[in-house]
Amino acid sequence: MILKTFGWSFAITALGLAFAAWQWGWQAFGVVLILSVLEISLSFDNAVVNAGILKKMNVFWQKIFLSIGIIIAVFGMRLVFPVVIVAVSAKVGPIEAVQLAMQHPDQYKDLVTDAHSAIAAFGGMFLLMIFLDFIFEEREIKWLGWLERPLAKLGKVDMLSVCVALIVLLLSAMTFATGAHVSTGHEDKSATVLLAGVAGLITYLIVGGLSSYFENKLEEDEEQEHEAEEKARAEGKQVSAVGLAGKAAFFLFLYLEVLDASFSFDGVIGAFAITNQIFWMALGLGIGAMYVRSLTVYLVRQGTLDDYVYLEHGAHYAIGALAAILLVTIEYSINEIITGLVGVVLIGASFWSSVRRNKALAAEGGDKDQDEDKTALHA
């Protein structure tokens, strides 16, 4: 199972590291390896959240996520995205931006640094909305009940998550953005942060809204299909609704890609603290992205989220922490190790809580069986 799921990731790792050592030397080999580990540590929460969405798709769309999805993730977000940032910031064409990255890496890094406030605001707001919608939703299973119960009650207020997100954006623009970190020191980026943050919020509402709509539509039609199939069997006919399922899965896939893009912001920005070489960066982060994809599919096929019910909670708390970190980094620098450890600690804690819950349920079931055996003997 592990080899089948992670086989491509292992192969790409070996080829990527070998290519880096052959093309650029052992220094590149070490940098690419470090970047791969960085991407995996920063994106573990991404894999858990993705798995919660991907398990609703069939095997075909899971394969699409691993094939076309990884192309978008590696070439789109890890290679094209940094180039687009520079092209927009410097108001140059994409070819000139690539030439700048290859011939003047320090100047390229400065341009990305200057664009960081917009990137952080966009990604921070998108991820914050994911976190807020999760904690304001009423759920049968609660991890931190003392916190989640009152928040779920508050969540009954219409559009509360949007209001909270806009308040956070406004406060960020009034505080962090007034002294935003740029290549030349600090600069007021309030207008940029507000504009980018609103764009991130709108993107979430559109893509998340469409995916939720089609997901609910799919569930409704699955019930209708089940009834139609029962009727068709009695009449000797067959019923199929592949088109609708495909449309629903497509929008869920689109939501996954936007979600992955938001998660990748911190990895791309953090990579500049390690190297200015765009191709080393794309290779290292791309290898890491492969493992995140494979881990997502592994969690789905193993049913891990069903067995360890608090993992999804931990991942969403990690998302909330990452959103806060992105907004803070508009002005202040935060070490990537801290960013990665926050997610790992929260997910690790939720995993341990899930294990303890499973043990408690198993012990409770065992005690119940013993009581039934004693009752039967006395009878």
Side-chain angles (χ1 to χ4, degrees):
M1 177 65 184
I2 291 181
L3 185 60
K4 182 179 179 181
T5 306
F6 289 88
W8 277 106
S9 298
F10 295 150
I12 294 297
T13 301
L15 290 173
L17 292 175
F19 179 79
W22 171 69
Q23 184 70 23
W24 299 296
W26 290 109
Q27 181 185 0
F29 176 92
V31 170
V32 169
L33 181 60
I34 291 170
L35 287 172
S36 303
V37 176
L38 172 69
E39 178 70 10
I40 294 170
S41 64
L42 289 175
S43 301
F44 190 83
D45 49 355
N46 187 8
V48 176
V49 175
N50 283 354
I53 301 171
L54 197 65
K55 69 180 182 181
K56 301 169 185 176
M57 300 180 179
N58 57 27
V59 176
F60 170 78
W61 279 100
Q62 290 177 9
K63 290 180 179 178
I64 291 293
F65 179 71
L66 270 177
S67 55
I68 298 176
I70 195 62
I71 293 173
I72 296 172
V74 174
F75 293 99
M77 288 309 302
R78 274 74 179 183
L79 182 59
V80 176
F81 175 65
V83 172
V84 171
I85 291 174
V86 173
V88 173
S89 302
K91 297 180 181 179
V92 298
I95 296 177
E96 289 86 348
V98 173
Q99 291 174 344
L100 190 65
M102 296 174 63
Q103 299 171 8
H104 305 283
D106 291 333
Q107 186 180 351
Y108 177 84
K109 178 184 177 182
D110 290 342
L111 290 171
V112 175
T113 301
D114 294 341
H116 174 67
S117 56
I119 299 168
F122 182 94
M125 290 302 294
F126 189 92
L127 295 177
L128 181 62
M129 282 299 300
I130 295 172
F131 170 68
L132 291 175
D133 276 352
F134 181 85
I135 62 171
F136 285 144
E137 184 179 346
E138 181 63 46
R139 297 179 181 279
E140 182 180 350
I141 297 176
K142 297 177 176 61
W143 180 30
L144 306 178
W146 56 272
L147 176 63
E148 293 171 10
R149 287 191 190 93
L151 288 176
K153 292 179 180 178
L154 286 174
K156 295 178 181 178
V157 178
D158 288 340
M159 304 299 289
L160 180 62
S161 57
V162 175
C163 293
V164 171
L166 287 173
I167 291 172
V168 171
L169 176 61
L170 184 61
L171 291 174
S172 299
M174 294 170 60
T175 53
F176 304 127
T178 56
H181 176 68
V182 293
S183 58
T184 55
H186 292 276
E187 186 179 319
D188 189 346
K189 292 272 191 175
S190 301
T192 300
V193 167
L194 281 172
L195 184 62
V198 170
L201 178 61
I202 291 172
T203 301
Y204 173 83
L205 292 175
I206 292 175
V207 179
L210 284 173
S211 63
S212 297
Y213 168 77
F214 281 103
E215 181 184 347
N216 294 333
K217 184 74 174 172
L218 178 59
E219 291 176 356
E220 293 175 4
D221 280 279
E222 280 177 347
E223 294 179 2
Q224 294 178 4
E225 286 170 20
H226 181 70
E227 296 175 359
E229 285 173 2
E230 292 296 325
K231 182 179 179 181
R233 277 194 202 94
E235 299 175 356
K237 300 178 181 178
Q238 293 184 349
V239 178
S240 176
V242 176
L244 181 62
K247 186 186 294 185
F250 170 76
F251 278 99
L252 286 177
F253 171 76
L254 180 62
Y255 177 69
L256 274 175
E257 290 306 315
V258 177
L259 181 64
D260 178 75
S262 299
F263 271 106
S264 69
F265 288 154
D266 62 324
V268 172
I269 298 302
F272 280 98
I274 299 173
T275 181
N276 296 340
Q277 299 294 332
I278 184 173
F279 295 110
W280 297 9
M281 190 186 306
L283 188 57
L285 297 180
I287 291 173
M290 282 291 299
Y291 281 95
V292 174
R293 281 293 197 280
S294 297
L295 181 59
T296 299
V297 174
Y298 180 81
L299 291 174
V300 171
R301 294 177 181 172
Q302 291 293 103
T304 305
L305 296 185
D306 295 327
D307 295 335
Y308 303 96
V309 295
Y310 298 137
L311 267 181
E312 196 169 0
H313 294 72
H316 278 86
Y317 281 111
I319 289 174
L322 178 56
I325 288 171
L326 278 173
L327 294 175
V328 171
T329 57
I330 292 173
E331 182 175 3
Y332 302 102
S333 296
I334 297 179
N335 193 288
E336 291 73 30
I337 295 176
I338 296 175
T339 306
L341 283 178
V342 168
V344 170
V345 168
L346 286 169
I347 293 175
S350 64
F351 176 77
W352 177 243
S353 297
S354 300
V355 171
R356 292 179 59 188
R357 174 183 181 273
N358 291 344
K359 288 182 178 179
L361 290 175
E364 183 180 335
D367 293 340
K368 205 175 281 186
D369 291 340
Q370 290 180 3
D371 292 339
E372 289 176 359
D373 291 340
K374 289 179 181 178
T375 304
L377 286 172
H378 287 303

Coordinates of all heavy atoms in Angstrom, one line a residue, residues 53-126:
I53 N -11.7 16.3 2.0 CA -12.5 16.6 0.8 C -12.3 15.5 -0.3 O -13.3 15.1 -0.9 CB -11.9 18.0 0.2 CG1 -12.1 19.1 1.2 CG2 -12.7 18.3 -1.1 CD1 -11.4 20.4 0.8
L54 N -11.1 15.0 -0.4 CA -10.8 14.0 -1.4 C -11.6 12.7 -1.2 O -11.9 12.0 -2.2 CB -9.3 13.7 -1.5 CG -8.8 13.0 -2.8 CD1 -9.0 13.9 -4.0 CD2 -7.4 12.7 -2.6
K55 N -11.9 12.4 0.0 CA -12.6 11.1 0.3 C -14.0 11.1 -0.2 O -14.6 10.0 -0.4 CB -12.6 10.8 1.8 CG -13.5 11.7 2.6 CD -13.4 11.4 4.1 CE -14.3 12.3 5.0 NZ -14.2 11.9 6.4
K56 N -14.5 12.3 -0.6 CA -15.9 12.4 -1.2 C -15.8 12.1 -2.7 O -16.9 12.0 -3.3 CB -16.4 13.8 -0.9 CG -16.5 14.1 0.6 CD -16.9 15.6 0.8 CE -16.9 15.9 2.3 NZ -17.1 17.4 2.5
M57 N -14.6 12.0 -3.2 CA -14.5 11.8 -4.7 C -14.2 10.3 -5.0 O -13.8 9.6 -4.1 CB -13.3 12.6 -5.2 CG -13.4 14.1 -5.1 SD -12.0 15.0 -5.7 CE -12.4 16.7 -5.4
N58 N -14.5 9.9 -6.2 CA -14.2 8.5 -6.6 C -12.8 8.4 -6.9 O -12.0 9.3 -7.0 CB -15.2 8.1 -7.7 CG -15.0 9.0 -8.9 OD1 -14.0 9.6 -9.2 ND2 -16.1 9.0 -9.7
V59 N -12.4 7.1 -7.3 CA -11.0 6.8 -7.6 C -10.5 7.6 -8.8 O -9.3 8.1 -8.8 CB -10.8 5.3 -7.8 CG1 -9.4 5.0 -8.3 CG2 -11.2 4.5 -6.6
F60 N -11.3 7.8 -9.8 CA -11.0 8.6 -11.0 C -10.5 10.0 -10.6 O -9.4 10.4 -11.1 CB -12.1 8.7 -11.9 CG -11.9 9.6 -13.1 CD1 -11.1 9.2 -14.2 CD2 -12.5 10.9 -13.1 CE1 -10.9 10.1 -15.2 CE2 -12.3 11.8 -14.2 CZ -11.4 11.4 -15.2
W61 N -11.3 10.7 -9.8 CA -10.9 12.1 -9.4 C -9.7 12.1 -8.5 O -9.0 13.1 -8.4 CB -12.1 12.8 -8.8 CG -13.0 13.3 -9.9 CD1 -14.1 12.7 -10.4 CD2 -12.7 14.5 -10.8 NE1 -14.6 13.5 -11.5 CE2 -13.8 14.5 -11.7 CE3 -11.8 15.4 -10.8 CZ2 -13.9 15.6 -12.6 CZ3 -11.8 16.4 -11.7 CH2 -12.9 16.5 -12.6
Q62 N -9.5 11.0 -7.7 CA -8.3 10.9 -6.9 C -7.1 10.9 -7.7 O -6.1 11.5 -7.4 CB -8.4 9.7 -5.9 CG -9.5 9.9 -4.8 CD -9.6 8.6 -4.0 OE1 -8.8 7.7 -4.1 NE2 -10.6 8.6 -3.1
K63 N -7.2 10.1 -8.9 CA -6.1 10.0 -9.8 C -5.8 11.4 -10.5 O -4.7 11.7 -10.8 CB -6.3 8.9 -10.8 CG -6.3 7.5 -10.2 CD -6.6 6.5 -11.3 CE -6.5 5.0 -10.7 NZ -6.8 4.0 -11.7
I64 N -6.9 12.1 -10.8 CA -6.8 13.4 -11.4 C -6.1 14.3 -10.5 O -5.2 15.1 -10.9 CB -8.2 14.0 -11.8 CG1 -8.8 13.2 -12.9 CG2 -8.1 15.4 -12.1 CD1 -8.1 13.3 -14.2
F65 N -6.4 14.2 -9.2 CA -5.8 15.0 -8.2 C -4.3 14.8 -8.1 O -3.4 15.7 -7.9 CB -6.4 14.8 -6.8 CG -5.8 15.6 -5.7 CD1 -6.0 16.9 -5.6 CD2 -5.1 14.9 -4.7 CE1 -5.5 17.6 -4.5 CE2 -4.5 15.6 -3.6 CZ -4.7 17.0 -3.6
L66 N -3.9 13.5 -8.3 CA -2.5 13.1 -8.2 C -1.7 13.4 -9.5 O -0.5 13.6 -9.5 CB -2.4 11.6 -7.9 CG -2.3 11.2 -6.5 CD1 -2.3 9.7 -6.3 CD2 -1.1 11.8 -5.8
S67 N -2.4 13.5 -10.6 CA -1.7 13.7 -11.9 C -1.8 15.2 -12.3 O -0.8 15.9 -12.2 CB -2.3 12.8 -13.0 OG -3.7 13.0 -13.1
I68 N -3.0 15.6 -12.8 CA -3.1 17.0 -13.2 C -2.9 17.9 -12.0 O -2.3 19.0 -12.2 CB -4.5 17.2 -13.9 CG1 -4.6 16.4 -15.1 CG2 -4.7 18.7 -14.2 CD1 -6.0 16.4 -15.8
G69 N -3.4 17.5 -10.9 CA -3.3 18.4 -9.7 C -1.8 18.6 -9.3 O -1.5 19.8 -8.9
I70 N -1.0 17.6 -9.4 CA 0.4 17.8 -9.0 C 1.1 18.7 -10.0 O 2.1 19.4 -9.7 CB 1.1 16.4 -8.9 CG1 2.4 16.6 -8.1 CG2 1.4 15.8 -10.2 CD1 2.3 17.1 -6.7
I71 N 0.7 18.6 -11.3 CA 1.3 19.5 -12.3 C 1.0 20.9 -12.0 O 1.9 21.8 -12.0 CB 0.8 19.1 -13.7 CG1 1.3 17.7 -14.1 CG2 1.2 20.2 -14.7 CD1 0.6 17.2 -15.4
I72 N -0.2 21.2 -11.6 CA -0.6 22.6 -11.2 C 0.1 23.0 -10.0 O 0.7 24.1 -9.9 CB -2.1 22.6 -11.0 CG1 -2.9 22.4 -12.2 CG2 -2.5 24.0 -10.4 CD1 -4.4 22.2 -12.1
A73 N 0.3 22.1 -9.0 CA 0.9 22.4 -7.7 C 2.4 22.7 -7.9 O 2.9 23.6 -7.4 CB 0.7 21.2 -6.7
V74 N 3.1 21.8 -8.7 CA 4.5 22.0 -8.9 C 4.9 23.1 -9.8 O 5.6 24.0 -9.5 CB 5.1 20.6 -9.4 CG1 6.6 20.8 -9.7 CG2 5.0 19.5 -8.3
F75 N 4.3 23.0 -11.0 CA 4.7 24.0 -12.0 C 4.0 25.4 -11.9 O 4.5 26.4 -12.1 CB 4.5 23.5 -13.5 CG 5.4 22.3 -13.8 CD1 5.0 21.0 -13.7 CD2 6.7 22.6 -14.2 CE1 5.8 20.0 -14.0 CE2 7.6 21.5 -14.5 CZ 7.1 20.2 -14.4
G76 N 2.7 25.2 -11.4 CA 1.9 26.4 -11.3 C 2.3 27.3 -10.1 O 2.7 28.4 -10.2
M77 N 2.3 26.6 -8.9 CA 2.5 27.4 -7.6 C 4.0 27.5 -7.3 O 4.4 28.5 -6.7 CB 1.7 26.8 -6.5 CG 0.2 27.0 -6.6 SD -0.2 28.7 -6.8 CE 0.5 29.5 -5.4
R78 N 4.8 26.5 -7.6 CA 6.2 26.5 -7.1 C 7.1 27.1 -8.2 O 8.2 27.4 -7.8 CB 6.6 25.0 -6.8 CG 6.3 24.6 -5.4 CD 4.8 24.3 -5.2 NE 4.5 23.9 -3.9 CZ 3.3 23.5 -3.5 NH1 2.3 23.5 -4.3 NH2 3.1 23.1 -2.3
L79 N 6.7 27.2 -9.4 CA 7.6 27.8 -10.4 C 7.0 29.0 -11.1 O 7.6 30.1 -11.1 CB 7.9 26.7 -11.5 CG 8.8 27.1 -12.6 CD1 10.2 27.5 -12.1 CD2 9.0 26.0 -13.7
V80 N 5.7 28.9 -11.6 CA 5.1 30.0 -12.3 C 4.7 31.1 -11.3 O 4.9 32.3 -11.6 CB 3.9 29.5 -13.1 CG1 3.2 30.7 -13.8 CG2 4.3 28.5 -14.1
F81 N 4.2 30.8 -10.2 CA 3.7 31.8 -9.2 C 4.8 32.8 -8.8 O 4.6 34.0 -8.9 CB 3.1 31.1 -8.0 CG 2.7 32.0 -6.9 CD1 1.7 32.9 -7.1 CD2 3.4 32.0 -5.7 CE1 1.3 33.8 -6.1 CE2 3.0 32.9 -4.7 CZ 2.0 33.7 -4.9
P82 N 6.0 32.3 -8.4 CA 7.0 33.3 -8.1 C 7.4 34.2 -9.3 O 7.7 35.4 -9.1 CB 8.2 32.5 -7.7 CG 7.7 31.2 -7.3 CD 6.5 31.0 -8.2
V83 N 7.3 33.7 -10.5 CA 7.6 34.5 -11.7 C 6.5 35.5 -11.9 O 6.8 36.7 -12.2 CB 7.8 33.6 -12.9 CG1 7.9 34.4 -14.2 CG2 9.0 32.7 -12.8
V84 N 5.3 35.1 -11.7 CA 4.2 36.0 -11.9 C 4.3 37.2 -10.9 O 4.0 38.3 -11.2 CB 2.8 35.3 -11.7 CG1 1.7 36.3 -11.7 CG2 2.6 34.3 -12.9
I85 N 4.7 36.8 -9.6 CA 4.8 37.8 -8.6 C 5.8 38.9 -9.0 O 5.5 40.1 -9.0 CB 5.3 37.2 -7.3 CG1 4.3 36.3 -6.7 CG2 5.7 38.3 -6.3 CD1 4.8 35.6 -5.4
V86 N 6.9 38.5 -9.5 CA 7.9 39.4 -10.0 C 7.5 40.2 -11.2 O 7.7 41.4 -11.3 CB 9.3 38.7 -10.3 CG1 10.3 39.6 -10.9 CG2 9.8 38.1 -9.0
A87 N 6.8 39.5 -12.1 CA 6.3 40.2 -13.3 C 5.3 41.3 -13.0 O 5.4 42.4 -13.6 CB 5.7 39.2 -14.3
V88 N 4.4 41.0 -12.1 CA 3.4 42.1 -11.7 C 4.1 43.2 -10.9 O 3.8 44.4 -11.1 CB 2.3 41.4 -10.8 CG1 1.4 42.5 -10.3 CG2 1.5 40.4 -11.7
S89 N 5.0 42.8 -9.9 CA 5.6 43.8 -9.0 C 6.5 44.7 -9.8 O 6.5 45.9 -9.6 CB 6.4 43.1 -7.9 OG 5.6 42.2 -7.2
A90 N 7.3 44.1 -10.7 CA 8.3 44.9 -11.5 C 7.7 45.5 -12.8 O 8.4 46.2 -13.5 CB 9.5 44.1 -11.8
K91 N 6.4 45.1 -13.1 CA 5.8 45.5 -14.3 C 6.6 45.2 -15.5 O 6.9 46.0 -16.4 CB 5.5 47.0 -14.3 CG 4.5 47.4 -13.1 CD 4.3 48.9 -13.1 CE 3.3 49.2 -12.0 NZ 3.1 50.7 -11.9
V92 N 7.0 43.9 -15.6 CA 7.8 43.4 -16.7 C 7.1 42.1 -17.2 O 6.2 41.6 -16.6 CB 9.3 43.0 -16.3 CG1 10.0 44.3 -15.9 CG2 9.3 42.0 -15.2
G93 N 7.5 41.7 -18.4 CA 6.9 40.4 -18.9 C 7.5 39.2 -18.2 O 8.5 39.3 -17.6
P94 N 6.8 38.1 -18.4 CA 7.2 36.8 -17.8 C 8.6 36.4 -18.2 O 9.3 35.8 -17.4 CB 6.1 35.8 -18.2 CG 5.4 36.4 -19.3 CD 5.5 37.9 -19.2
I95 N 8.9 36.6 -19.4 CA 10.3 36.2 -19.9 C 11.3 37.0 -19.2 O 12.4 36.5 -18.8 CB 10.4 36.3 -21.4 CG1 9.4 35.4 -22.1 CG2 11.8 36.0 -21.9 CD1 9.4 35.5 -23.6
E96 N 11.1 38.3 -19.1 CA 12.1 39.2 -18.4 C 12.2 38.8 -16.9 O 13.2 38.9 -16.3 CB 11.6 40.6 -18.5 CG 11.8 41.2 -19.9 CD 10.6 41.0 -20.8 OE1 9.7 40.1 -20.4 OE2 10.5 41.6 -21.9
A97 N 11.0 38.4 -16.4 CA 11.0 38.0 -14.9 C 11.9 36.7 -14.8 O 12.6 36.6 -13.8 CB 9.6 37.7 -14.5
V98 N 11.8 35.8 -15.7 CA 12.6 34.5 -15.6 C 14.1 34.9 -15.8 O 14.9 34.4 -15.0 CB 12.2 33.5 -16.7 CG1 13.1 32.3 -16.7 CG2 10.8 33.0 -16.4
Q99 N 14.4 35.8 -16.7 CA 15.8 36.2 -16.9 C 16.3 36.9 -15.6 O 17.5 36.7 -15.3 CB 15.9 37.1 -18.1 CG 15.6 36.4 -19.4 CD 15.6 37.4 -20.6 OE1 15.4 38.6 -20.4 NE2 15.7 36.9 -21.8
L100 N 15.4 37.7 -15.0 CA 15.8 38.3 -13.8 C 16.1 37.3 -12.7 O 17.1 37.5 -11.9 CB 14.7 39.3 -13.3 CG 15.0 40.3 -12.2 CD1 16.1 41.3 -12.6 CD2 13.7 41.0 -11.8
A101 N 15.3 36.3 -12.6 CA 15.5 35.3 -11.6 C 16.8 34.5 -11.8 O 17.5 34.1 -10.8 CB 14.3 34.3 -11.6
M102 N 17.2 34.3 -13.0 CA 18.4 33.5 -13.3 C 19.6 34.3 -13.3 O 20.7 33.9 -12.8 CB 18.2 32.9 -14.7 CG 17.1 31.9 -14.9 SD 16.9 31.3 -16.6 CE 18.4 30.5 -16.9
Q103 N 19.6 35.6 -13.7 CA 20.8 36.4 -13.8 C 21.0 37.4 -12.7 O 22.1 37.7 -12.3 CB 20.7 37.2 -15.1 CG 20.6 36.4 -16.4 CD 20.3 37.2 -17.6 OE1 20.3 38.4 -17.6 NE2 20.1 36.5 -18.8
H104 N 19.9 37.8 -12.0 CA 20.0 38.7 -10.9 C 19.1 38.2 -9.7 O 18.1 38.8 -9.4 CB 19.6 40.1 -11.3 CG 20.3 40.6 -12.5 ND1 21.6 41.1 -12.4 CD2 19.9 40.7 -13.8 CE1 22.0 41.5 -13.6 NE2 21.0 41.3 -14.4
P105 N 19.5 37.1 -9.1 CA 18.7 36.4 -8.0 C 18.4 37.3 -6.8 O 17.3 37.3 -6.2 CB 19.5 35.2 -7.6 CG 20.9 35.5 -8.1 CD 20.7 36.3 -9.3
D106 N 19.4 38.2 -6.5 CA 19.2 39.1 -5.3 C 18.1 40.1 -5.6 O 17.3 40.4 -4.7 CB 20.5 39.8 -5.0 CG 21.5 38.8 -4.4 OD1 21.1 37.8 -3.8 OD2 22.7 39.1 -4.5
Q107 N 18.1 40.7 -6.8 CA 17.1 41.7 -7.2 C 15.7 41.0 -7.3 O 14.7 41.5 -6.9 CB 17.5 42.3 -8.5 CG 16.5 43.4 -9.0 CD 16.9 44.0 -10.3 OE1 18.0 43.7 -10.8 NE2 16.1 44.9 -10.8
Y108 N 15.7 39.7 -7.7 CA 14.5 38.9 -7.8 C 13.9 38.7 -6.4 O 12.7 38.9 -6.2 CB 14.8 37.6 -8.5 CG 13.7 36.6 -8.6 CD1 12.8 36.7 -9.7 CD2 13.5 35.6 -7.7 CE1 11.7 35.8 -9.8 CE2 12.5 34.8 -7.8 CZ 11.6 34.9 -8.8 OH 10.5 34.0 -8.9
K109 N 14.8 38.4 -5.5 CA 14.4 38.2 -4.1 C 13.8 39.5 -3.5 O 12.7 39.4 -2.8 CB 15.5 37.7 -3.2 CG 15.2 37.5 -1.8 CD 16.4 37.1 -1.0 CE 16.0 37.0 0.5 NZ 17.2 36.7 1.4
D110 N 14.4 40.6 -3.8 CA 13.8 41.9 -3.3 C 12.4 42.1 -3.8 O 11.6 42.6 -3.1 CB 14.8 43.0 -3.7 CG 16.1 43.0 -3.0 OD1 16.2 42.3 -1.9 OD2 17.1 43.6 -3.5
L111 N 12.2 41.8 -5.1 CA 10.9 42.1 -5.7 C 9.8 41.2 -5.0 O 8.7 41.6 -4.8 CB 10.9 41.8 -7.2 CG 11.7 42.9 -8.0 CD1 11.9 42.4 -9.4 CD2 11.0 44.2 -8.0
V112 N 10.2 39.9 -4.7 CA 9.3 39.0 -4.1 C 9.0 39.5 -2.6 O 7.9 39.4 -2.2 CB 9.8 37.6 -4.1 CG1 8.9 36.7 -3.2 CG2 10.0 37.0 -5.5
T113 N 10.0 40.0 -2.0 CA 9.9 40.5 -0.6 C 8.9 41.7 -0.6 O 8.0 41.8 0.3 CB 11.2 41.0 0.0 OG1 12.1 39.8 0.0 CG2 11.1 41.5 1.4
D114 N 9.0 42.6 -1.6 CA 8.1 43.7 -1.7 C 6.7 43.3 -2.0 O 5.8 44.0 -1.6 CB 8.6 44.6 -2.9 CG 10.0 45.3 -2.6 OD1 10.4 45.3 -1.4 OD2 10.6 45.7 -3.5
A115 N 6.5 42.1 -2.6 CA 5.1 41.7 -2.9 C 4.6 40.8 -1.8 O 3.4 40.4 -1.8 CB 5.1 40.9 -4.2
H116 N 5.4 40.6 -0.7 CA 5.0 39.6 0.3 C 3.7 40.1 1.1 O 2.9 39.3 1.4 CB 6.1 39.5 1.3 CG 5.7 38.6 2.5 ND1 5.4 37.3 2.4 CD2 5.5 39.0 3.8 CE1 5.0 36.8 3.6 NE2 5.1 37.8 4.5
S117 N 3.5 41.4 1.3 CA 2.4 41.9 2.0 C 1.1 41.5 1.3 O 0.1 41.1 2.0 CB 2.5 43.4 2.2 OG 2.6 44.0 1.0
A118 N 1.1 41.6 0.0 CA -0.1 41.3 -0.8 C -0.4 39.8 -0.7 O -1.5 39.3 -0.6 CB 0.0 41.7 -2.2
I119 N 0.7 39.0 -0.9 CA 0.6 37.5 -0.9 C 0.1 37.0 0.5 O -0.8 36.2 0.6 CB 1.9 36.9 -1.2 CG1 2.4 37.3 -2.5 CG2 1.9 35.3 -1.1 CD1 3.9 36.9 -2.8
A120 N 0.7 37.6 1.6 CA 0.3 37.2 2.9 C -1.2 37.6 3.2 O -1.9 36.8 3.9 CB 1.2 37.8 3.9
A121 N -1.6 38.7 2.8 CA -3.0 39.2 3.0 C -4.0 38.3 2.3 O -5.0 37.8 2.8 CB -3.2 40.6 2.6
F122 N -3.7 38.0 1.0 CA -4.6 37.1 0.2 C -4.6 35.7 0.8 O -5.7 35.2 1.1 CB -4.0 37.0 -1.2 CG -4.9 36.2 -2.1 CD1 -5.9 36.8 -2.9 CD2 -4.8 34.8 -2.2 CE1 -6.7 36.0 -3.7 CE2 -5.6 34.1 -3.1 CZ -6.5 34.7 -3.8
G123 N -3.5 35.1 1.0 CA -3.5 33.7 1.6 C -4.0 33.7 3.0 O -4.7 32.7 3.4
G124 N -3.6 34.7 3.8 CA -4.1 34.7 5.2 C -5.6 34.7 5.3 O -6.2 34.0 6.1
M125 N -6.2 35.6 4.5 CA -7.7 35.7 4.5 C -8.4 34.4 4.0 O -9.4 34.0 4.6 CB -8.1 36.9 3.7 CG -7.7 38.2 4.3 SD -8.4 38.5 6.0 CE -10.1 38.5 5.6
F126 N -7.8 33.8 3.0 CA -8.4 32.6 2.5 C -8.4 31.5 3.5 O -9.4 30.8 3.8 CB -7.7 32.2 1.2 CG -8.3 31.0 0.5 CD1 -9.3 31.3 -0.6 CD2 -8.1 29.7 0.8 CE1 -9.9 30.2 -1.2 CE2 -8.7 28.6 0.1 CZ -9.6 28.9 -0.9

